[in-house]
Amino acid sequence: MDSQQSPHDLTSASGKAEEVADKSTAIIAYITLVGLIIAFVMNNEKKQPFASFHIRQSLGIVLTGVALGFINIIPFLGWVISLLGILVLIVLWILGLMSAIQGQEKTLPVVGKHFQEWFKSI
């Protein structure tokens, strides 16, 4: 009836807590621009690889959305490109969020590898 935990149990418990915090930060990154900023600040002190991965993916989605906003200024052709681009971004956002919820580091189709490369300092 030993009530003490072994050091291995404590390590796994703290590791599990860090994993949950890491996953939470990754999920928050996909929830609006404010969520991305909060996740960035949360991850700034102690760089968590999983959270950093998803912050880079989310930042890429947001910046692509801003670029599409500028393209939307162009009459007709810009509107069509922007509309199609926003629909693609919504799909990418859902894929990224689902990947974070499942605890996986799946890059987004087509652009995910570029986001990881461009924002590797985050």
Side-chain angles (χ1 to χ4, degrees):
M1 310 247 174
D2 188 16
S3 64
Q4 294 180 339
Q5 292 180 328
S6 70
H8 179 69
D9 292 337
L10 293 175
T11 304
S12 65
S14 69
K16 186 72 170 171
E18 285 182 22
E19 183 180 316
V20 169
D22 197 18
K23 188 174 178 180
S24 298
T25 303
I27 293 169
I28 290 170
Y30 288 101
I31 303 175
T32 72
L33 179 61
V34 174
L36 176 60
I37 293 168
I38 291 170
F40 182 77
V41 170
M42 288 172 62
N43 196 49
N44 201 23
E45 183 179 312
K46 183 178 180 186
K47 298 281 186 185
Q48 301 166 330
F50 181 74
S52 294
F53 175 87
H54 285 285
I55 289 170
R56 288 189 293 269
Q57 298 285 297
S58 181
L59 179 61
I61 291 172
V62 168
L63 292 178
T64 304
V66 169
L68 287 171
F70 283 113
I71 291 172
N72 193 31
I73 296 170
I74 303 167
F76 305 113
L77 182 60
W79 299 338
V80 171
I81 292 170
S82 182
L83 178 64
L84 294 174
I86 292 298
L87 293 175
V88 169
L89 282 184
I90 290 171
V91 171
L92 293 176
W93 175 78
I94 291 169
L95 290 172
L97 180 60
M98 293 306 297
S99 175
I101 290 170
Q102 294 172 354
Q104 300 172 342
E105 286 187 3
K106 288 184 185 175
T107 56
L108 298 172
V110 181
V111 293
K113 290 180 184 177
H114 297 292
F115 292 161
Q116 292 301 316
E117 183 182 322
W118 295 337
F119 308 122
K120 62 184 165 196
S121 64
I122 295 176

